[in-house]
Amino acid sequence: MSQRYPCPMIGCDHQFTAEELTGVTSVTCPKCRSTIQLRSRVAEAPPPPVTPGPPIVHHTATRRSRDVMVYSAVIGGFLLLVAFGIVAAVVSSRGKGTITQPKLPGYRNADYLFALDLPTQDWEDHPGMKSRLQVSQFAAMNSEADPRYVALDVVDFKDRTPSPREMDVEARRKLAQFFNRRFDTNPPADAPPLEGPPVAGQPTHRFTFDGRSPEEELTGQVVFFTHDRLGYWLYYLTPPAFQGESEWNAILAGFRLTGRRPRPSTEAKEQRVFTGKEVKGYRLVDETGRWQLDDDPKAHDPEADLVLRAMDPMNPRKPTLAADLIVLNLKKMRGDIVEQVKAHLLAKQQREGNPNSQIQEIEGKRKDNVGNEQGILVHWRIDNGGVRDRLAVVSIVPRGETLLVLYGDC
């Protein structure tokens, strides 16, 4: 009767014949479909070489001893391979009990300070989506029949923290390349980024999208935020009819930040301190080395004391994308000081050739302090009558009979 060997997978009762294991490096179980790798081929022991000598009957004891050693080695080797197969199955399989499709409970990266535990064990790594979306960390898929994807991109910005607008532009760029047939977003690209739900204790921004690529039509949203000069983008893509809000919320709840990085030291030559020319008692410290002093502040506004400009780091040769900071010294009038400053800046817009300009305050952004001083900080959207839109951050510090105004726009 032929010797038979049991399948090493737990719960499988299939038995292999010796012939099935002879001369092969791996074997697939026809019952449980597990693939078992054999470290060496199991072969029949070769017959002992024939050499001249006395009749073989004189060596009966030696031959029996040799046969026992050969068969023991063959059987022992197979049992060792079976043991290796069991260990490989335990180490490699998670969830389905197969070796070829392990399950991934989550992702970790100590260098980028994050850990993400996915809400279920049904998510599988998807290198193809990672490549198509051009994300640095991972992309995973849930269910081939009703495919849903989650992906994470992280960028190290070294010595600075990117703005929400910069991160918004980067997310739209990657998605527009992915959805090269059709790509729509809410809010549109020219609107300020929307605030998103807190993730790992960090404030976020977001937008929703839907689009079509040559392969499929998907909808979803992206949430982005910063931590320790790292930018994080979490993408969620689903079929148009799928209701995935609860799943998306569970994914966001599973994201954690795992530490902080040492703050980079800024060399003294890179630090610049700006003080007023005519107005005393204030100082501005630039720790990035990106702000440049304008030699003629009065060309920007008759009441300007100091003007700084920083070019967009992603478009350093495009002045229209630069950020300007103007320090104004205004005489304090009666009434609401915010409305006084708004009237002054609206007149500035009109002098610059935008007679139909309007200024609208962005709700929920007002604060009652400026640095260490009592004052008012507001965010404005400036519409130049359809010519262009500007986002302005305005700080107003009362100083006796004057108002020190820091007006920054981009």
Side-chain angles (χ1 to χ4, degrees):
M1 181 175 178
S2 176
Q3 179 68 40
R4 304 184 72 85
Y5 304 96
C7 175
M9 298 306 298
I10 298 174
C12 181
D13 58 3
H14 178 73
Q15 294 187 348
F16 295 97
T17 64
E19 289 78 8
E20 291 176 299
L21 303 176
T22 301
V24 297
T25 58
S26 65
V27 63
T28 300
C29 176
K31 190 166 186 178
C32 69
R33 309 305 300 169
S34 299
T35 300
I36 303 170
Q37 301 292 332
L38 304 179
R39 297 294 179 89
S40 62
R41 294 185 178 181
V42 178
E44 295 181 358
V50 178
T51 58
I56 196 168
V57 68
H58 291 197
H59 298 279
T60 301
T62 303
R63 178 175 179 177
R64 288 178 178 174
S65 175
R66 185 178 301 163
D67 288 346
V68 171
M69 293 176 63
V70 170
Y71 291 134
S72 297
V74 171
I75 296 173
F78 178 75
L79 293 177
L80 184 61
L81 292 174
V82 169
F84 284 149
I86 294 175
V87 172
V90 172
V91 172
S92 300
S93 64
R94 295 180 183 176
K96 286 186 178 178
T98 63
I99 296 174
T100 55
Q101 296 182 346
K103 286 299 180 180
L104 299 174
Y107 298 85
R108 310 283 188 276
N109 192 318
D111 292 333
Y112 290 103
L113 309 181
F114 77 84
L116 175 61
D117 294 322
L118 296 174
T120 69
Q121 295 288 329
D122 297 327
W123 293 89
E124 295 184 358
D125 203 32
H126 200 291
M129 178 59 76
K130 177 184 177 184
S131 176
R132 289 170 59 201
L133 266 179
Q134 303 178 45
V135 296
S136 63
Q137 297 304 304
F138 73 86
M141 182 180 72
N142 190 323
S143 173
E144 292 186 359
D146 195 16
R148 308 181 309 275
Y149 305 93
V150 60
L152 174 66
D153 194 21
V154 183
V155 174
D156 186 352
F157 286 84
K158 307 297 184 183
D159 62 342
R160 67 185 183 90
T161 297
S163 68
R165 168 60 73 186
E166 185 177 351
M167 297 187 69
D168 182 89
V169 169
E170 177 65 9
R172 292 173 187 272
R173 181 187 69 81
K174 289 191 174 182
L175 288 169
Q177 291 180 350
F178 179 84
F179 293 114
N180 53 8
R181 297 288 177 84
R182 179 179 60 81
F183 179 50
D184 300 309
T185 65
N186 182 30
D190 57 354
L194 291 177
E195 290 188 2
V199 175
Q202 306 299 307
T204 72
H205 291 83
R206 69 176 183 90
F207 64 83
T208 61
F209 57 85
D210 64 88
R212 177 182 289 276
S213 70
E215 290 80 9
E216 54 197 332
E217 184 174 2
L218 295 169
T219 186
Q221 57 183 294
V222 55
V223 168
F224 45 93
F225 55 96
T226 62
H227 171 66
D228 259 4
R229 309 175 307 282
L230 294 168
Y232 299 84
W233 292 262
L234 274 164
Y235 296 87
Y236 183 58
L237 304 93
T238 73
F242 184 78
Q243 301 296 320
E245 196 65 28
S246 60
E247 182 176 66
W248 178 228
N249 291 336
I251 292 170
L252 296 180
F255 186 92
R256 304 189 310 279
L257 295 170
T258 58
R260 302 193 69 89
R261 301 189 299 176
R263 187 168 184 82
S265 59
T266 306
E267 297 182 9
K269 65 179 181 180
E270 294 180 345
Q271 291 184 350
R272 299 188 66 185
V273 177
F274 301 99
T275 57
K277 290 187 175 183
E278 300 175 358
V279 180
K280 305 302 179 182
Y282 74 90
R283 62 198 296 265
L284 305 175
V285 181
D286 172 22
E287 295 185 350
T288 68
R290 291 188 171 89
W291 291 90
Q292 300 298 320
L293 183 65
D294 192 302
D295 293 331
D296 187 11
K298 301 298 183 185
H300 294 263
D301 192 286
E303 307 301 328
D305 182 58
L306 180 147
V307 175
L308 301 174
R309 167 166 286 195
M311 303 304 295
D312 183 343
M314 299 181 68
N315 297 277
R317 297 184 179 180
K318 203 165 184 180
T320 55
L321 297 180
D324 292 325
L325 176 64
I326 304 176
V327 180
L328 303 166
N329 188 46
L330 303 181
K331 183 178 179 181
K332 186 177 180 182
M333 309 292 288
R334 290 189 177 184
D336 189 329
I337 59 175
V338 174
E339 291 300 322
Q340 178 187 340
V341 174
K342 182 185 291 186
H344 179 90
L345 294 175
L346 191 58
K348 168 180 164 59
Q349 299 293 324
Q350 294 169 348
R351 287 196 307 271
E352 292 174 351
N354 301 300
N356 298 320
S357 294
Q358 296 181 351
I359 296 178
Q360 180 180 4
E361 182 172 343
I362 300 175
E363 296 182 2
K365 292 286 190 177
R366 182 177 291 209
K367 296 183 179 179
D368 296 328
N369 60 289
V370 179
N372 296 323
E373 299 294 328
Q374 290 292 320
I376 298 175
L377 185 147
V378 292
H379 289 70
W380 288 340
R381 181 181 299 167
I382 302 177
D383 179 3
N384 290 140
V387 178
R388 65 173 186 171
D389 288 337
R390 305 289 284 179
L391 174 65
V393 180
V394 184
S395 300
I396 307 170
V397 180
R399 307 175 79 195
E401 299 299 320
T402 63
L403 298 174
L404 183 67
V405 180
L406 281 72
Y407 167 73
D409 77 348
C410 62

